[in-house]
Amino acid sequence: MSNTSSNDSLAQDFVAFAVQSKVLRFGEFKTKAGRLSPYFFNAGLFDDGAKLGRLAEFYARRLIASGLAFDMLFGPAYKGITLAAAVSIELARLGHNKPFAYNRKEAKDHGEGGTLVGAPVQGRVLIIDDVISAGTSVRESIDLIVKAGATPAGVTIALDRQEKATANGQDSAESAVQQVEQHYKLPVVAIATLRDLLQYLETQSDPALTAFHPAVLAYRQRYGV
């Protein structure tokens, strides 16, 4: 149910931005699943105002283009907190003012207490995160949203790695994104996918970048969905 296509200019612009920001790097990296990946995406490196603002613009434009209906944003601690705040600012700038909330990792035992911070969690709630690797933060977010009496509306992420999930050291037939879509019946809206990343590498003139295309393609053929 990916909302990006391989000739998607927004996705291509985002991949270029992620590479320029050194958030998306090429080489050899070990994933949580123990795979050797030829690329690494670290959204924590969108670490200044200009980069975070630009990232928020990509999320907001993708969400508006997707037509997905939602009433508010929810950012899972910790990376989702800054994402929810930044994207709500950008959505408001574009004429779509939405409240946002996030969770604490530990419940607060003084003041207002509880684990939820921000706007009251109600209506159709969109979960925002950087990637879905195991689906754990999505599952925890859904539990918090349902417990608050609201309805999960979907998930939005920066990059869909489009690779098989793992369980107990075994590869699954579906990706973590597909598992979220199928298990929770929720749409997942990604700014870009691994397919978009491959297309970006194919169209570059810089040999330092095009050199990584065969390794990324081989990884996609081995682990892709």
Side-chain angles (χ1 to χ4, degrees):
M1 208 190 294
S2 167
N3 287 12
T4 52
S5 62
S6 55
N7 59 355
D8 188 325
S9 61
L10 186 69
Q12 291 302 305
D13 290 348
F14 175 70
V15 173
F17 163 59
V19 170
Q20 286 152 14
S21 304
K22 296 185 169 52
V23 170
L24 183 56
R25 302 181 186 209
F26 301 98
E28 195 170 78
F29 308 92
K30 197 161 194 178
T31 70
K32 280 181 188 170
R35 297 169 183 162
L36 282 179
S37 172
Y39 73 98
F40 181 59
F41 180 80
N42 181 3
L45 296 174
F46 289 116
D47 56 5
D48 65 31
K51 284 184 284 204
L52 185 61
R54 189 95 198 277
L55 173 64
E57 185 187 338
F58 280 109
Y59 270 108
R61 286 173 61 196
R62 175 62 79 216
L63 283 170
I64 292 166
S66 77
L68 182 65
F70 62 96
D71 301 310
M72 68 178 294
L73 290 166
F74 180 82
Y78 290 99
K79 279 182 184 169
I81 296 174
T82 50
L83 293 175
V87 174
S88 70
I89 292 168
E90 181 61 19
L91 283 168
R93 195 182 71 79
L94 295 172
H96 302 264
N97 189 24
K98 305 281 186 184
F100 73 95
Y102 56 91
N103 67 304
R104 293 188 182 91
K105 289 277 191 184
E106 295 84 24
K108 190 176 167 190
D109 60 4
H110 60 278
E112 74 278 19
T115 57
L116 297 177
V117 188
V121 175
Q122 57 194 23
R124 298 164 298 182
V125 185
L126 177 67
I127 299 161
I128 183 165
D129 216 335
D130 55 347
V131 294
I132 298 176
S133 46
T136 311
S137 75
V138 171
R139 188 166 58 249
E140 289 170 354
S141 299
I142 288 170
D143 289 344
L144 287 167
I145 291 164
V146 171
K147 202 170 165 185
T151 307
V155 186
T156 183
I157 55 175
L159 182 70
D160 179 356
R161 287 182 62 102
Q162 295 184 307
E163 67 178 74
K164 293 171 182 172
T166 56
N168 304 318
Q170 299 294 311
D171 288 348
S172 303
E174 304 88 20
S175 69
V177 166
Q178 288 172 329
Q179 288 176 345
V180 165
E181 290 179 327
Q182 290 162 16
H183 189 267
Y184 298 107
K185 303 291 186 279
L186 289 177
V188 177
V189 177
I191 303 172
T193 67
L194 179 54
R195 189 175 63 241
D196 297 310
L197 169 53
L198 275 165
Q199 194 200 351
Y200 171 81
L201 291 174
E202 277 168 20
T203 54
Q204 294 312 295
S205 53
D206 181 355
L209 283 171
T210 55
F212 291 109
H213 182 267
V216 177
L217 182 61
Y219 188 81
R220 172 100 166 105
Q221 286 166 342
R222 182 168 178 190
Y223 297 115
V225 293

